[in-house]
């Protein structure tokens, strides 16, 4: 490490212990915020110039210097030195080395405390958009599959036991709506980051005649923070974003679990594409759903990130405390992991093969027509409790015979209850069982067609929000 002179050199006679300096540095983690740091500094410098706090010439020199540093970083030429402690100092030092004294004026009316809050908020806004983008792409894939496979019947489960037949489209759309709520949470996280902290300085505000509204407008912030102490201590926006990532991951892990179960030989409902499967180094026959398992496994990490952030902030007195430097690692990890897992889930779903025959065959097992058979009797005036018992006995009969309810004859039914009508066998027809579920939000073909229309409207609204963010 270079024998660096710290920016607080005036008050210090000795230099930092080399290990202590490294221990205190956050550059390896926060360097990814470089673009936000430069953009924020340019907005700050322009405002300082416009307000006459620094000269127009200094402001222009600062902007030119920062532009050059931006290009250097983009081109991979910038040397990040951990002696600079963090991204803010790294860029400021490079600026001063480049333009001299004017570089030292950039930090007028600013502290790293409001600077880091600014950078993190700008980074969080972009991350929320990237995550919403990934979730929206996955929703589009789910909706596409639901449309493509409309009509495919499969068993629906409760307690992992066959319960009632449903449409595959209905099952897939359940995840579409789940992910829609994730997008809502991500948008809320965007809004909570969308408040300008710059101008709070270290904690108390500044004596300089700054114009915070102008900086907010330049950096596209929806509002200006109302309290400087809250503003430099507030990391709620990272909590909100990490929470949104956590719930998204919990949803993806449930989806991953279904893919894992469905791709077993026992189920055989889907076949994952070779591109999204792995083999075994010893068992030649194996094709493993590693990537679905990883999505499931990484969920624990992201939930851990949320816990880590919550506990880091717990009990911190106002205002800035160095503990808060520990905020970025879990937040960035949660963002990166969720972005990757959304992409992996999309990759698996959009390439998997749906084994329609296995799903339909599965829908015939498990006596899933039992409820409808009981409903048939109930609709003919038999008290439902009695109907339930009659059908229970028929299930026992089937079990003894080793057949399904569909294999019974009308005579079998009438032997159990004379109340069965001539059309009783229609009650056990799997297709009809599904299509009769006409209630709003139910699995009937018509209800699912309406659901698909609603899903298209919802998806278009999400895409519109994303397009507006990309322009902004
Ligand atoms: N690297 C620091 C962080 O991430 C920047 C703010 C440092 N401010 C301070 N007064 N030490 O929190």
């Amino acid at each position: 490490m270079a024998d660096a002179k710290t920016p607080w050199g005036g008050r210090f006679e000795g230099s930092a212990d080399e290990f202590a300096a490294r221990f205190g540095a956050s550059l390896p983690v926060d360097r990814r915020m470089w673009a936000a740091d430069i953009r924020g500094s340019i907005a700050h410098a322009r405002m300082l110039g416009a307000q006459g706090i620094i000269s127009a010439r200094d402001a222009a020199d600062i902007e030119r210097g920062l532009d050059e540093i931006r290009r250097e970083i983009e081109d991979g030429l910038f040397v990040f030195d951990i002696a600079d402690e963090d991204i803010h100092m790294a860029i400021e030092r490079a600026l001063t080395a480049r333009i001299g004294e004017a570089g030292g004026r950039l930090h007028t009316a600013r502290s790293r405390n409001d600077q880091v809050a600014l950078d993190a908020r700008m980074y969080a806004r972009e991350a929320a958009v990237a995550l919403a983008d990934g979730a929206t792409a996955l929703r589009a894939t789910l909706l596409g599959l639901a449309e493509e496979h409309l009509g495919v019947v499969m068993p629906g489960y409760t307690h992992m036991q066959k319960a009632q037949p449903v449409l595959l489209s209905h099952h897939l759309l359940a995840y579409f709506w789940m992910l829609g709520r994730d997008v809502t949470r991500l948008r809320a996280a965007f809004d909570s980051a969308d408040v300008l902290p710059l101008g709070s300085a270290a904690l108390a505000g500044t004596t300089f005649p700054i114009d915070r509204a102008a900086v907010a407008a330049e950096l596209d912030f929806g509002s200006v923070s109302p309290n400087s102490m809250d503003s430099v201590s507030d990391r709620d926006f990272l909590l909100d974003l990490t929470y949104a990532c956590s719930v998204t991951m919990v949803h993806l892990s449930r989806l991953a679990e279904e893919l894992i179960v469905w791709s077993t030989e026992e189920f055989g409902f889907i076949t994952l594409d070779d591109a999204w499967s792995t083999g075994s180094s010893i068992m030649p026959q194996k094709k493993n759903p590693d990537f679905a398992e990883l999505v499931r496994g990484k969920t624990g990490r992201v939930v851990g990130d949320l816990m880590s952030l919550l506990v880091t902030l717990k009990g911190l007195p106002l205002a800035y405390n160095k503990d808060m430097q520990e905020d970025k690692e879990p937040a960035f990890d949660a963002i990166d992991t969720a972005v990757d897992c959304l992409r992996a889930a999309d990759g698996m779903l959009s390439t998997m093969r749906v084994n329609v025959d296995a799903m339909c065959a599965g829908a015939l097992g498990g006596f899933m027509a039992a409820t409808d058979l009981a409903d048939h009797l109930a609709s003919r005036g038999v008290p439902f409790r009695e109907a339930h018992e009659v059908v229970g006995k028929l299930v026992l009969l089937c079990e003894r015979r080793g057949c399904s309810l569909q294999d019974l004859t009308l005579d079998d039914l009438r032997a159990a209850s004379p109340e069965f009508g001539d059309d009783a066998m229609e009650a056990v027809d799997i297709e009809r069982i599904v299509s009769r579920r006409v209630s709003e939000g139910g699995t009937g073909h018509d209800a699912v067609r309406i659901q698909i229309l609603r899903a298209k409207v919802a998806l278009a609204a999400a895409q519109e929000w994303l397009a507006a963010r990309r322009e902004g």
Side-chain angles (χ1 to χ4, degrees):
M1 187 190 308
D3 183 19
K5 184 171 158 6
T6 53
W8 45 85
R11 197 226 174 280
F12 281 67
E13 286 174 343
S15 54
D17 176 87
E18 189 174 321
F19 172 73
R22 209 174 274 276
F23 181 69
S26 56
L27 185 64
V29 174
D30 62 28
R31 56 181 272 179
R32 66 160 79 189
M33 302 195 303
W34 62 268
D37 197 76
I38 290 175
R39 193 174 159 218
S41 287
I42 289 176
H44 183 64
R46 281 185 187 163
M47 181 278 291
L48 292 177
Q51 296 296 102
I53 298 169
I54 63 173
S55 71
R57 201 192 146 149
D58 281 348
D61 284 349
I62 290 171
E63 183 162 348
R64 179 180 46 80
L66 287 171
D67 275 333
E68 286 169 16
I69 292 168
R70 182 200 336 253
R71 271 193 296 278
E72 258 190 30
I73 298 178
E74 277 166 359
D75 295 344
L77 301 173
F78 190 88
V79 182
F80 289 96
D81 181 353
I82 198 155
D84 282 330
E85 187 182 332
D86 59 26
I87 187 62
H88 325 294
M89 313 276 293
I91 289 174
E92 192 187 314
R93 188 200 300 276
L95 178 69
T96 305
R98 189 176 289 266
I99 67 167
E101 211 178 73
R105 297 214 166 91
L106 169 61
H107 214 51
T108 313
R110 186 175 77 168
S111 153
R112 273 189 301 158
N113 298 350
D114 56 347
Q115 187 179 0
V116 70
L118 173 70
D119 293 5
R121 282 175 180 272
M122 289 169 73
Y123 191 89
R125 283 193 310 193
E126 264 187 39
V129 173
L131 285 156
D133 194 42
T136 303
L138 179 55
R139 294 180 83 203
T141 298
L142 285 161
L143 181 52
L145 287 170
E147 278 197 279
E148 184 188 336
H149 296 289
L150 191 61
V152 175
V153 176
M154 66 177 290
Y157 295 82
T158 62
H159 314 272
M160 267 309 268
Q161 305 288 327
K162 286 184 183 176
Q164 289 180 338
V166 294
L167 290 182
L168 169 62
S169 304
H170 195 52
H171 194 129
L172 293 171
L173 286 170
Y175 287 96
F176 175 92
W177 298 112
M178 253 183 252
L179 284 155
R181 295 192 296 275
D182 293 330
V183 171
T184 302
R185 268 180 286 275
L186 289 164
R187 285 174 62 166
F190 179 97
D191 290 342
S192 90
D194 195 28
V195 180
L196 178 85
L198 202 69
S200 302
L203 76 164
T206 174
T207 55
F208 290 98
I210 58 173
D211 181 353
R212 298 187 67 200
V215 178
E218 169 142 10
L219 298 175
D220 292 319
F221 276 95
S223 64
V224 169
S225 65
N227 181 306
S228 61
M229 292 182 81
D230 180 34
S231 169
V232 291
S233 322
D234 174 14
R235 295 294 183 273
D236 292 359
F237 61 98
L238 291 181
L239 285 176
D240 292 344
L241 188 56
T242 310
Y243 171 66
C245 289
S246 298
V247 183
T248 303
M249 287 300 302
V250 167
H251 291 158
L252 293 181
S253 78
R254 297 179 73 175
L255 176 62
E257 170 67 9
E258 306 244 39
L259 296 181
I260 293 162
V261 171
W262 289 0
S263 63
T264 57
E265 188 183 333
E266 288 76 2
F267 273 72
F269 287 178
I270 57 163
T271 308
L272 290 173
D273 194 78
D274 283 0
W276 288 97
S277 308
T278 52
S280 156
S281 56
I282 173 168
M283 297 168 281
Q285 84 284 9
K286 291 280 277 181
K287 188 170 166 188
N288 296 327
D290 278 26
F291 304 106
E293 291 170 308
L294 272 176
V295 169
R296 191 176 59 183
K298 284 173 187 287
T299 303
R301 271 210 4 228
V302 176
V303 173
D305 290 330
L306 174 61
M307 291 309 118
S308 160
L309 200 51
L310 281 166
V311 179
T312 298
L313 295 170
K314 174 200 166 294
L316 286 186
L318 297 180
Y320 179 84
N321 299 276
K322 187 75 165 177
D323 313 45
M324 290 164 70
Q325 181 167 284
E326 290 295 308
D327 61 352
K328 286 168 222 60
E329 225 171 311
F332 292 167
D333 184 66
I335 294 163
D336 293 349
T337 307
V339 164
D340 284 354
C341 289
L342 283 164
R343 184 171 166 180
D346 196 10
M348 287 184 278
L349 279 176
S350 56
T351 56
M352 72 183 187
R353 199 177 67 228
V354 174
N355 301 326
V356 175
D357 293 344
M359 285 197 177
C360 293
L364 286 172
F367 310 110
M368 288 191 295
T371 310
D372 285 61
L373 210 49
D375 283 352
H376 169 88
L377 284 180
S379 69
R380 296 173 66 85
V382 179
F384 187 79
R385 280 294 149 233
E386 202 179 311
H388 188 287
E389 182 163 346
V390 169
V391 177
K393 286 196 173 121
L394 286 169
V395 168
L396 258 181
L397 175 69
C398 288
E399 271 191 340
R400 254 183 240 124
R401 287 190 192 165
C403 70
S404 69
L405 287 169
Q406 287 78 15
D407 297 325
L408 296 178
T409 63
L410 193 54
D411 288 343
D412 290 329
L413 301 188
R414 289 214 167 118
S417 165
E419 296 302 325
F420 278 110
D422 294 338
D423 58 349
M425 287 311 287
E426 284 180 13
V428 297
D429 181 75
I430 291 294
E431 284 285 330
R432 281 181 214 246
I433 289 176
V434 173
S435 64
R436 276 200 295 262
R437 267 40 195 192
V438 290
S439 56
E440 184 178 346
T443 195
H445 299 68
D446 289 340
V448 169
R449 265 185 214 102
I450 292 168
Q451 190 187 159
I452 286 175
L453 293 180
R454 284 182 69 177
K456 283 184 177 169
V457 172
L459 190 66
Q463 282 161 342
E464 208 173 291
W465 182 84
L466 282 169
R469 293 291 83 67
R470 276 192 218 102
E471 275 164 29

